[in-house]
Amino acid sequence: MDALLQKIKNAAARKQVKDFEIYLKRSRGLSITVKEQKPDAVENRDSLGFGLRVCLNGSGNRRLGFSYGRAFDDASLDIVVDQALAAATAATPDPLYGWPPGGWSAPAALPQEKASYPEGTNFDPALSGITRDDKTAVACELEKSALGTDPRVKRARYTSYEEEVDDTVLFNSSGLLASHRRTHLSLSVLAVAEVGGQSEEYYEYASTPFFRELKPRPLGRSAAQMAVDLLGGKRIANYRGPVILPPGVAVSFLEVFAPGATAENVAKKNSCLIGKMGEKLYSPKITIVDDGLYPGGEESAPFDAEGTPRQKTVIVNRGVVSNLLYDCYWARRDKKNSTGNSRRASAVARPKLEWSNFFIQPAEPVEPVQPVEPVQPAEKSPDRIAAIDRAIFIAEVIGIHTADPISGDFSVGMQGFLIEKGKGKKPVRSMALAGNLHEMFAKVVEVGSDLRFYGRFGAPTLLIEEASVSGEGSHRAPTEQGG
């Protein structure tokens, strides 16, 4: 990587570019899917590329240009530099363009400080010594566990092991040179249960940086048991009362909220948090955090895509809107410090202001190791959630992408269980959950300790005091027989 970096720097020097930034990344991946205890498909991936940003100064303004490449011969590198220069020449000037000197993004109005990067927490040095057969065995164990949970589980439609190893180097002409390594492993399974001509399926996923922390057996059992429990689901009468959102469903709603937490979207009037700073918007049980240093987090790294140190930022503190997320540009605009939230989707992508590990704080501290083992409804939740007399447990929502991220209004399909003490749990399906995201977060009366991450997003179980679920007598879902 050092030699490749030097070649890009040499190309910039040949074109007499003085102010520039290089983001160089290599990603190596492996995907193994299994079927009937044998590898069904194996895919190896290896990509190498870089992004180049150049900045042209003139009359106090700065013009920023971007280009990228995957080839490292001199002719190809010269073309990339030329393209970046051409883009900068045509760009609209803006005095806020630039990158952090030495890895720090404080604007001129704030004290300058050289970055001190924290230690990385998401690289597994032992992974290189683990054989492909060992990795295949983990996927096979996942499938075996799902199929062995209950005779009604007829097949695992999709069972996979995935890994990615990333090496990243970041350099800029203001004095920054930094690098880090990352490993990301995941298991996923889609279990299918069948009985009497009806079938249900349920998907489970878990990720971790460390091979030793993969837990295929509980993951397979969780997917299979949920698929079985959902069998026989029918519509019930319209319901208004407590609902329980398990981590995977709570995450779906958090994903709708997240874009509104960036300073860019607030400035562009595309956020639910406009004018809300310092306001008590949600329940005091709700604390929303972005933590680029979360141990084992998928997005954890010592620095962001511009070289700013990653950090923990509390967006909502016990219901009160407290902070926004910033990168260098939007921090300069608002005379703030960057929160280390510049992110690149790939080696050849422009940096964007986005969240890192974004989650709802659990009720009590949990060991921050991925993955937290999947559990059945309310098993690891506070007593009030586990002991509630009557509620609807929402196992899955469909159509959350249609929710309005600004107003918070949503109407989604759902299936899950009607939980009644003394009567067990009754599967329900073909129903609709409608309401408002912000009102729902305001009505959270308990949160669990069962924090789980699904990619960049995490949440514990949430108990909502009251919500509306449309069933029989509603036009929102197709009619089914039974009650």
Side-chain angles (χ1 to χ4, degrees):
M1 297 287 277
D2 290 344
L4 296 177
L5 177 64
Q6 188 59 52
K7 293 193 71 171
I8 305 169
K9 290 164 65 177
N10 291 343
R14 286 196 297 272
K15 301 291 182 176
Q16 300 182 338
V17 180
K18 303 297 184 184
D19 200 1
F20 63 97
E21 172 201 75
I22 300 167
Y23 183 86
L24 176 63
K25 184 175 182 179
R26 183 180 184 185
S27 296
R28 287 158 291 177
L30 172 65
S31 174
I32 302 172
T33 59
V34 299
K35 187 174 183 180
E36 298 178 353
Q37 295 295 286
K38 296 179 181 179
D40 184 51
V42 178
E43 178 188 1
N44 286 289
R45 303 178 298 276
D46 194 342
S47 66
L48 175 64
F50 69 97
L52 174 69
R53 292 198 294 173
V54 304
C55 203
L56 301 180
N57 294 301
S59 302
N61 282 319
R62 297 166 68 81
R63 297 174 184 266
L64 194 65
F66 172 82
S67 188
Y68 63 89
R70 298 187 183 276
F72 293 86
D73 60 279
D74 287 350
S76 297
L77 292 174
D78 287 346
I79 290 172
V80 171
V81 177
D82 286 340
Q83 290 173 337
L85 287 169
T89 301
T92 302
D94 191 325
L96 300 180
Y97 285 143
W99 19 85
W104 188 250
S105 61
L110 297 173
Q112 296 292 320
E113 182 178 343
K114 189 175 179 65
S116 176
Y117 292 126
E119 294 293 327
T121 59
N122 61 345
F123 177 73
D124 186 357
L127 184 62
S128 60
I130 297 170
T131 67
R132 181 180 295 179
D133 286 346
D134 291 334
K135 298 167 184 177
T136 302
V138 170
C140 288
E141 187 65 33
L142 177 60
E143 182 190 48
K144 181 180 179 181
S145 175
L147 295 175
T149 297
D150 189 289
R152 288 169 288 183
V153 179
K154 303 301 183 182
R155 62 187 183 280
R157 191 187 299 272
Y158 179 81
T159 308
S160 76
Y161 165 90
E162 300 271 350
E163 76 176 34
E164 186 173 282
V165 182
D166 296 333
D167 289 276
T168 301
V169 177
L170 181 61
F171 169 88
N172 72 40
S173 51
S174 295
L176 180 147
L177 176 60
S179 64
H180 73 88
R181 306 191 74 189
R182 164 188 176 269
T183 51
H184 180 253
L185 317 176
S186 66
L187 293 174
S188 57
V189 60
L190 183 64
V192 181
E194 298 176 354
V195 67
Q198 183 190 5
S199 68
E200 291 288 350
E201 58 186 35
Y202 197 79
Y203 174 80
E204 275 284 16
Y205 168 91
S207 65
T208 173
F210 306 104
F211 187 85
R212 68 179 182 275
E213 290 175 1
L214 292 171
K215 294 176 168 53
R217 292 182 183 179
L219 194 70
R221 287 196 301 267
S222 178
Q225 191 62 58
M226 187 66 82
V228 168
D229 289 346
L230 288 169
L231 285 168
K234 297 179 180 179
R235 296 178 71 192
I236 61 174
N238 292 346
Y239 170 92
R240 187 169 182 85
V243 299
I244 298 171
L245 308 183
V249 175
V251 157
S252 296
F253 287 99
L254 187 63
E255 289 175 347
V256 176
F257 169 85
T262 68
E264 178 179 7
N265 280 330
V266 170
K268 293 179 177 179
K269 309 299 183 184
N270 192 28
S271 169
C272 62
L273 300 184
I274 298 169
K276 303 295 186 182
M277 192 61 60
E279 183 176 320
K280 186 178 180 182
L281 194 62
Y282 300 137
S283 160
K285 298 284 186 178
I286 289 290
T287 294
I288 299 175
V289 175
D290 182 88
D291 190 353
L293 299 172
Y294 188 83
E298 180 175 315
E299 290 289 315
S300 295
F303 53 88
D304 73 356
E306 295 177 308
T308 303
R310 287 287 203 186
Q311 67 176 54
K312 178 179 179 179
T313 304
V314 178
I315 306 301
V316 176
N317 186 12
R318 298 184 179 183
V320 178
V321 181
S322 302
N323 293 288
L324 298 174
L325 302 178
Y326 287 95
D327 62 5
C328 285
Y329 179 88
W330 293 98
R332 292 188 184 105
R333 181 184 181 277
D334 289 354
K335 293 184 170 56
K336 301 283 188 179
N337 280 332
S338 170
T339 55
N341 282 96
S342 179
R343 181 178 183 271
R344 303 188 196 226
S346 71
V348 298
R350 289 179 175 86
K352 293 178 59 179
L353 172 54
E354 286 190 349
W355 46 94
S356 58
N357 304 302
F358 199 84
F359 61 97
I360 297 174
Q361 187 76 43
E364 55 193 56
V366 295
E367 194 67 25
V369 173
Q370 289 295 307
V372 176
E373 290 188 18
V375 294
Q376 291 303 304
E379 275 186 26
K380 285 191 176 180
S381 303
D383 289 343
R384 185 170 177 187
I385 293 180
I388 192 167
D389 288 334
R390 190 170 190 264
I392 284 186
F393 178 95
I394 300 176
E396 182 181 19
V397 293
I398 302 167
I400 191 63
H401 64 281
T402 63
D404 188 320
I406 301 177
S407 71
D409 293 335
F410 65 85
S411 180
V412 296
M414 59 79 54
Q415 64 176 347
F417 309 98
L418 175 63
I419 298 174
E420 295 179 292
K421 287 298 178 184
K423 297 182 181 179
K425 59 185 182 182
K426 177 180 181 179
V428 297
R429 60 174 299 169
S430 299
M431 302 184 70
L433 173 69
N436 181 276
L437 167 68
H438 310 302
E439 292 177 4
M440 186 172 67
F441 279 179
K443 292 181 179 180
V444 171
V445 290
E446 291 292 342
V447 301
S449 60
D450 52 342
L451 174 63
R452 285 190 65 191
F453 275 85
Y454 296 81
R456 292 189 279 163
F457 293 92
T461 297
L462 304 180
L463 172 60
I464 313 299
E465 184 176 32
E466 186 179 69
S468 294
V469 180
S470 301
E472 291 181 347
S474 169
H475 67 277
R476 296 178 184 273
T479 302
E480 292 187 32
Q481 299 298 317

